[in-house]
Amino acid sequence: MTTRSEPGHGLSALMSERRQLINLAYRLLGSLAEAEDVVQETYARWYAMSREQQDAIESPGAWLTRVAGRICLDVLGSARARRERYVGEWIPEPLPERTEWISGRPGGATVDPADRVTLDESVNMAFLVVLESMTPAERVSFILHDVFCHSFAEVAEIVGRTPAACRQLASSARRRIRESRSPASPTAQQAGIVKDFKQAWEAKDIDALLRLLDPDATAIADGGGLATTFLHPIEGGGQVARALVEIADQKPGDVTILERTVNGQPGLVAQQNGVTVTVFAFEVAGDRIKRIWAVRNPQKLRHWTS
């Protein structure tokens, strides 16, 4: 963990931890909005302490990580109940590539680079969806140890279990990841398949769609009750292809489908009058699409360019 680097824990040293905390909280929660709230609360707790209390902390970076981790653990504990009240399916918040990133803050100013999430395999949509199936303790133990390389002794301080118990939790989470993963296709191959999918979809070519979709393909949409979409997953390549053609038939003429990077991987976005209204993420195995995630909840699209 980060060690104390400035006398009196200067502001620049403290704020330099912000990006790490955002990266951690997003992976733990699957929501950038919630991650930002967690980081804000973490800093609020730091500044609520007296100067004497702050100076007594040898490593402010380690302290901030512990507090953020514990807050995330609490948020994850209540998330299941909130997801049960969520309208339709819940999909993690999609992230654009850096050149597409905008602020959701008033005025639309560009987000400070320190707020950006590092796009690697630990934020691709398939990975985040598997994380959603884990218990809060599994998810926190796995992310802190396997992704952020903290020791199990450090993880234990956050999770409130013994290091041995955290090791077992991470092992269980690792097994879930292995069991759910399909052999990864090279990024260039994925991009080609997504491009072919876009062309087949726009042409309403159901035969081409069937060739691109795995027979067991699944499509999941997240509108959150704020955008029209199908409420339950569509299963089977044939069913997905037919649903896609129906959507294309109903698509307004001012909607444009564009190739974009979604959570570090090839994806698509739909824009209406220049505003992003849907983000599509894909899981590609071999030369077929296994899963499609369509995020339409406007609250999850605030960082996409208009």
Side-chain angles (χ1 to χ4, degrees), residues 129-150:
V129 168
V130 176
L131 292 179
E132 285 296 313
S133 69
M134 299 178 186
T135 67
E138 279 180 327
R139 187 166 182 167
V140 172
S141 297
F142 172 74
I143 291 294
L144 282 168
H145 180 267
D146 284 43
V147 178
F148 288 89
C149 302
H150 292 299

Side-chain angles (χ1 to χ4, degrees), residues 48-249:
M49 293 190 296
S50 67
R51 182 58 182 270
E52 290 74 18
Q53 290 173 315
Q54 293 173 358
D55 287 342
I57 296 173
E58 181 180 355
S59 172
W63 186 93
L64 291 168
T65 298
R66 281 197 300 273
V67 171
R70 288 168 182 164
I71 296 173
C72 285
L73 196 61
D74 290 341
V75 172
L76 286 169
S78 63
R80 290 176 185 259
R82 287 186 286 111
R83 303 278 162 79
E84 288 176 1
R85 298 192 298 270
Y86 195 80
V87 178
E89 298 290 319
W90 190 93
I91 298 174
E93 183 178 342
L95 297 179
E97 60 184 331
R98 286 170 175 77
T99 56
E100 295 288 321
W101 194 289
I102 62 169
S103 173
R105 302 187 182 103
T110 301
V111 172
D112 187 280
D115 287 342
R116 293 175 178 165
V117 176
T118 303
L119 300 178
D120 59 26
E121 66 174 6
S122 69
V123 295
N124 74 54
M125 193 60 76
F127 186 91
L128 292 176
V129 168
V130 176
L131 292 179
E132 285 296 313
S133 69
M134 299 178 186
T135 67
E138 279 180 327
R139 187 166 182 167
V140 172
S141 297
F142 172 74
I143 291 294
L144 282 168
H145 180 267
D146 284 43
V147 178
F148 288 89
C149 302
H150 292 299
S151 71
F152 283 117
E154 293 171 317
V155 175
E157 293 182 31
I158 295 170
V159 179
R161 311 277 182 95
T162 65
C166 291
R167 185 185 299 275
Q168 288 298 317
L169 288 167
S171 176
S172 173
R174 210 174 294 125
R175 185 167 56 251
R176 290 178 188 248
I177 294 289
R178 283 197 305 268
E179 291 173 352
S180 66
R181 271 186 171 171
S182 304
S185 303
T187 301
Q189 182 179 349
Q190 292 183 46
I193 291 169
V194 170
K195 181 176 183 177
D196 291 344
F197 171 86
K198 172 182 177 292
Q199 293 173 344
W201 188 16
E202 291 177 327
K204 305 176 188 178
D205 187 339
I206 195 165
D207 290 331
L209 287 169
L210 287 171
R211 288 193 294 271
L212 290 164
L213 292 165
D214 187 273
D216 296 322
T218 303
I220 301 172
D222 178 346
L226 301 175
T228 303
T229 190
F230 48 94
L231 293 177
H232 303 290
I234 300 173
E235 299 181 347
Q239 290 288 96
V240 173
R242 284 187 284 274
L244 288 167
V245 171
E246 288 179 12
I247 291 170
D249 284 335

